[in-house]
Amino acid sequence: MSRRPNILLITTDQQHWDTLGCRNPEIQTPSLDALAEEGTLFERAYCPNPTCTPTRASIITGQYPSQHGAWTLGTMLDPEAPTLNDVLGPSGYRTALIGKAHFQPLQEAEGYRSLESYPTLHDLPFWRRFTGPYYGFEYVQLCRNHADEAHAGEHYGIWMEEKGLGDWRDYFRPDNEAKKTGDGGRTWLLPQEFHYNEFIVERSAAKLEEYAESDEPFFLWASFPDPHCPYLVPEPWASMYDPNTLTVPQGVPGEHANNPPHFQLTQEDKPDFSAWKESGYGIHGMHSHTRSLSELAKDLAVYYGMMSYTDDAVGRLLRHLEALGLAEETVVVFTTDHGMLLGQHGLSRKGPFHYEDLVKLPFIVRYPGRVPSGRSSNALQSLVDLAPTFLSFADLPIPPRMSGVDQKGVWLGNQEQARDHVVIENRHEPTTIHVKTYVDSRFKLTVYYNQPYGELFDLKNDPGEFKNLWNDPESQTLKAELIKRLLFAEMGKEPLYMPRISGA
């Protein structure tokens, strides 16, 4: 019997699907371009939710956010939730997560202790003692912050102290302008050797060395926090791209006239979104998105720099995998948790706007000699499929609670597709922002709970998603058919985890 494959999952955070050099000549990502050439680039991969916690929880549970319970930011994945690791670990796999987890909120949840919350985030004595288990991961080394966010701490804070950066906290105060420079404060004065990319590469490489020594199969998730905003990166990456030479995405005048009302409000200078915030908490994207073209260009340049730096870090990690002789027996998957709006449709960052920019993902699979190399595929992928597919590659049973589908045959090039649609959920509020999107080979339908409005796009004839057909008289039969398909999709993803053992 051949050795079971290792699994290396590499993720970024909030990466737009076309920020790969092999797709976009304005950005340099040589490591990821090489990975795509050595494996298969999937052109139509989607997140199950365009925010961090829900999607990351879906990656390890194989369930949709509406099923595993961490349905928005500020919620937490139940620490007792069944995960991929609960099958891998007892079957002989070593499991580790290095970098960003974000399964839990920044505040304590009622009835639960959130390890990723204040004040625990900054309790370095605790993190010196704690390396797992965590959601089935045998070993974790965590960092929660993006750029200079004050969330910095956990194992990353300890690592910086061990490296000799005694004043590291000064670099993680957004109000500390002394640690930022450049146009608009987009250049981070944190020396590169103390950046969290270096922490993740070093600690991931150490685990790979340990696994190579023990000759045990492993599942390692290297989770990079960039290129998530705030837009801040050390040199030389901060000045790698000239804002004046980049193509900056923009909206089309009047394009939101037929869209739901919250789209239109984003184009106002002082919009009132109070009617949507029924819980009293903030909602990503529910604010003014009016930005000057010059500011968008500067943001884009730094965003590209952050991505190129992350690409460099990924390349070093992959070279270490190869130097240890592990590459041939390792399934490598590169993707992100959700996309990013960089000016498209007059929008920035993320929110309840299910454009391809926000819900479609970069997605690469490499497994030398098994996954076809230099290939591009349009087979639909969802991050909810990762857990069952990893278990399939490990020749382990897929728990019936998992709603994702097994993509092994598709990845190996033996099967054209494993699914004919994807479902994307977005629920920031109990009712007002409760969204379901259905995507198939051509069309995209978005339905809002208890609302008369919605979205319908023909991705073949309108790939830019500028013409919402929801109220188009000639598209009503199509809309009805897609609503029916969404209903069937919702019914089809219900898990049957309790077997039937007798008759009536």
Side-chain angles (χ1 to χ4, degrees), residues 74-149:
T75 62
M76 74 184 301
L77 179 62
D78 186 340
E80 303 302 318
T83 71
L84 161 73
N85 300 308
D86 295 325
V87 182
L88 289 175
S91 302
Y93 270 77
R94 305 290 301 279
T95 59
L97 166 61
I98 312 293
K100 178 178 175 178
H102 205 170
F103 303 132
Q104 299 186 1
L106 285 168
Q107 290 81 34
E108 295 286 342
E110 185 175 350
Y112 297 96
R113 180 192 178 195
S114 173
L115 293 186
E116 299 183 53
S117 71
Y118 294 100
T120 307
L121 278 173
H122 295 157
D123 185 357
L124 298 193
F126 167 79
W127 294 105
R128 286 189 177 93
R129 300 189 304 269
F130 179 80
T131 57
Y134 195 55
Y135 289 102
F137 286 102
E138 169 195 2
Y139 179 85
V140 294
Q141 287 277 305
L142 303 181
C143 66
R144 176 62 185 265
N145 60 291
H146 298 285
D148 65 344
E149 288 179 338

Side-chain angles (χ1 to χ4, degrees), residues 71-307:
W71 49 274
T72 188
L73 298 175
T75 62
M76 74 184 301
L77 179 62
D78 186 340
E80 303 302 318
T83 71
L84 161 73
N85 300 308
D86 295 325
V87 182
L88 289 175
S91 302
Y93 270 77
R94 305 290 301 279
T95 59
L97 166 61
I98 312 293
K100 178 178 175 178
H102 205 170
F103 303 132
Q104 299 186 1
L106 285 168
Q107 290 81 34
E108 295 286 342
E110 185 175 350
Y112 297 96
R113 180 192 178 195
S114 173
L115 293 186
E116 299 183 53
S117 71
Y118 294 100
T120 307
L121 278 173
H122 295 157
D123 185 357
L124 298 193
F126 167 79
W127 294 105
R128 286 189 177 93
R129 300 189 304 269
F130 179 80
T131 57
Y134 195 55
Y135 289 102
F137 286 102
E138 169 195 2
Y139 179 85
V140 294
Q141 287 277 305
L142 303 181
C143 66
R144 176 62 185 265
N145 60 291
H146 298 285
D148 65 344
E149 288 179 338
H151 311 330
E154 299 174 297
H155 299 106
Y156 175 44
I158 296 169
W159 177 84
M160 285 186 285
E161 289 193 354
E162 292 173 347
K163 292 290 181 181
L165 189 65
D167 64 342
W168 64 267
R169 291 173 181 83
D170 292 343
Y171 292 91
F172 298 92
R173 286 174 32 214
D175 63 341
N176 189 356
E177 298 301 325
K179 299 301 182 183
K180 294 180 281 192
T181 187
D183 194 344
R186 294 175 173 88
T187 301
W188 201 5
L189 297 183
L190 176 75
Q192 180 176 314
E193 60 264 34
F194 300 111
H195 192 275
Y196 40 76
N197 281 358
E198 306 303 317
F199 161 73
I200 293 167
V201 171
E202 181 182 302
R203 291 294 164 94
S204 297
K207 293 310 288 184
L208 291 177
E209 291 169 9
E210 178 185 327
Y211 298 150
E213 188 76 21
S214 66
D215 197 34
E216 296 172 285
F218 62 82
F219 167 48
L220 172 62
W221 182 358
S223 178
F224 291 90
D226 281 355
H228 192 291
C229 47
Y231 304 109
L232 193 63
V233 71
E235 291 289 12
W237 314 100
S239 58
M240 183 174 181
Y241 296 93
D242 181 354
N244 298 312
T245 65
L246 298 179
T247 303
V248 182
Q250 299 179 66
V252 174
E255 68 169 290
H256 295 306
N258 295 319
N259 285 341
H262 62 282
F263 285 72
Q264 301 162 35
L265 283 173
T266 64
Q267 305 306 295
E268 298 180 5
D269 290 333
K270 295 181 179 180
D272 180 6
F273 282 108
S274 58
W276 279 265
K277 298 180 181 180
E278 58 190 302
S279 69
Y281 292 105
I283 305 174
H284 270 299
M286 303 302 246
H287 53 74
S288 174
H289 287 244
T290 56
R291 303 283 311 284
S292 70
L293 191 61
S294 64
E295 287 300 302
L296 284 172
K298 294 171 187 175
D299 286 347
L300 186 63
V302 177
Y303 181 85
Y304 280 6
M306 295 167 77
M307 190 58 237

Side-chain angles (χ1 to χ4, degrees), residues 320-346:
H320 199 71
L321 182 79
E322 186 169 355
L324 292 170
L326 297 171
E328 296 299 313
E329 295 301 325
T330 302
V331 179
V332 176
V333 175
F334 171 83
T335 188
T336 192
D337 55 357
H338 55 81
M340 175 71 160
L341 289 154
L342 297 159
Q344 297 92 344
H345 307 282

Side-chain angles (χ1 to χ4, degrees), residues 279-423:
S279 69
Y281 292 105
I283 305 174
H284 270 299
M286 303 302 246
H287 53 74
S288 174
H289 287 244
T290 56
R291 303 283 311 284
S292 70
L293 191 61
S294 64
E295 287 300 302
L296 284 172
K298 294 171 187 175
D299 286 347
L300 186 63
V302 177
Y303 181 85
Y304 280 6
M306 295 167 77
M307 190 58 237
S308 288
Y309 178 22
T310 304
D311 174 84
D312 176 81
V314 169
R316 284 182 277 137
L317 182 59
L318 291 174
R319 287 192 293 274
H320 199 71
L321 182 79
E322 186 169 355
L324 292 170
L326 297 171
E328 296 299 313
E329 295 301 325
T330 302
V331 179
V332 176
V333 175
F334 171 83
T335 188
T336 192
D337 55 357
H338 55 81
M340 175 71 160
L341 289 154
L342 297 159
Q344 297 92 344
H345 307 282
L347 301 169
S348 59
R349 302 191 181 184
K350 57 192 173 188
F353 320 107
H354 285 192
Y355 290 117
E356 296 287 274
D357 307 285
L358 190 54
V359 299
K360 196 165 83 165
L361 318 168
F363 196 96
I364 303 169
V365 180
R366 185 189 75 181
Y367 189 16
R370 287 87 157 183
V371 170
S373 60
R375 178 170 173 258
S376 176
S377 171
N378 283 319
L380 289 168
Q381 306 286 316
S382 172
L383 295 185
V384 79
D385 300 336
L386 287 179
T389 304
F390 289 158
L391 291 175
S392 182
F393 270 94
D395 292 323
L396 293 171
I398 299 170
R401 287 179 182 269
M402 290 188 178
S403 300
V405 303
D406 178 5
Q407 296 273 3
K408 180 179 178 181
V410 178
W411 291 7
L412 294 176
N414 301 327
Q415 184 181 349
E416 185 175 344
Q417 62 180 23
R419 54 164 68 246
D420 61 7
H421 69 273
V422 296
V423 173

